[in-house]
Amino acid sequence: MDHEHYSKERSASLDLLLRFQRLLVSKLHPGDCVGQVPNTYSPDLLGVGSLLKKYTALLCTHIGDILPVATSIASTSHRHFAEVSRVVDGDLTGSILLPELVVSVVLLLSKNAGLMQEAGAIPLLAGLLEHLDRFNHLAPGKERDDNEDLAWPGIMGSFFTGQSCRNNEEVTLIRKADLENHNKDGGFWTVIDGKVYDIKDFQTQSLTGSSIL
């Protein structure tokens, strides 16, 4: 019911901004086209990239003005944080615009890094990281949420078996001979910064081949 109520109250201007944002992203997404010469872009495409930069700058300026004030008030107490979060949630700062824009820009960057460098929207978003980080660090249960984020999507899941890794003081010592014998038997253990990781399951999913791994 709350979600339905929120959807009804979402302003027409926010819906319009969201549609405009998605239109920009769709125009910049290359789709399945494979015939474009690298580093050559049509004036229309560069124009859309310029629009994306201007739009991102306006959005980031607004959020950059709101978040420091919100952080200052929210740092008073957990109750203040809850109240401020509720207010921010009703503002552009807490809307779907920013997270969807970030995901879209990352997608576009993976598809056409050169065009996104020309557009110049990425440094604008990067400027928000410090503000967002300061506000999020005030949230109750931050450490628990961080642990859950690290455990997703299963890469670190084996280290969080029902309890925090901080409470798990039993550490298995694996010698070099143990690792070599395990790998000879068809396993795939590797050492990164003194810790042993089992990447056998990842090997079967990887498209890069075993040599790179």
Side-chain angles (χ1 to χ4, degrees):
M1 290 179 64
D2 289 340
H3 177 70
E4 184 179 350
H5 179 67
Y6 170 76
S7 298
K8 287 180 179 177
E9 282 200 343
R10 195 167 70 182
S11 68
S13 58
L14 178 58
D15 281 330
L16 186 61
L17 281 173
L18 186 59
R19 292 175 67 180
F20 177 69
Q21 178 175 297
R22 290 173 176 174
L23 180 63
L24 290 176
V25 172
S26 67
K27 292 292 184 183
L28 289 170
H29 192 275
D32 297 325
C33 177
V34 294
Q36 184 165 340
V37 180
N39 299 324
T40 60
Y41 310 109
S42 68
D44 288 345
L45 205 57
L46 292 173
V48 176
S50 178
L51 269 178
L52 178 65
K53 181 179 180 179
K54 291 178 181 178
Y55 168 80
T56 305
L58 289 171
L59 185 63
C60 290
T61 299
H62 174 78
I63 297 174
D65 290 340
I66 295 293
L67 275 180
V69 179
T71 302
S72 176
I73 300 172
S75 62
T76 308
S77 68
H78 288 330
R79 180 172 171 273
H80 283 78
F81 178 84
E83 288 297 319
V84 168
S85 297
R86 185 179 61 80
V87 174
V88 168
D89 196 42
D91 179 73
L92 287 179
T93 308
S95 70
I96 192 176
L97 290 175
L98 181 61
E100 187 170 306
L101 179 62
V102 170
V103 172
S104 299
V105 166
V106 171
L107 172 65
L108 292 172
L109 185 63
S110 68
K111 293 289 185 179
N112 197 333
L115 178 59
M116 291 309 295
Q117 294 289 348
E118 289 279 345
I122 298 172
L124 297 171
L125 288 170
L128 290 178
L129 290 178
E130 188 176 347
H131 295 308
L132 290 166
D133 197 48
R134 285 178 180 172
F135 184 78
N136 288 332
H137 268 73
L138 298 174
K142 174 183 66 69
E143 291 184 3
R144 183 195 65 233
D145 291 341
D146 283 348
N147 287 341
E148 289 176 356
D149 288 342
L150 286 172
W152 187 88
I155 297 174
M156 298 288 290
S158 58
F159 295 98
F160 298 96
T161 53
Q163 58 180 345
S164 171
C165 63
R166 188 179 298 175
N167 298 329
N168 185 8
E169 297 181 356
E170 293 184 8
V171 178
T172 303
L173 184 64
I174 298 177
R175 297 170 300 173
K176 185 178 179 181
D178 297 330
L179 185 140
E180 291 175 348
N181 289 333
H182 179 82
N183 289 348
K184 285 179 182 177
D185 293 335
F188 206 150
W189 286 356
T190 188
V191 180
I192 303 173
D193 292 336
K195 295 183 176 64
V196 178
Y197 296 88
D198 187 349
I199 58 173
K200 181 68 176 177
D201 291 340
F202 182 73
Q203 178 194 13
T204 59
Q205 303 171 15
S206 173
L207 302 176
T208 59
S210 299
S211 59
I212 295 179
L213 290 177

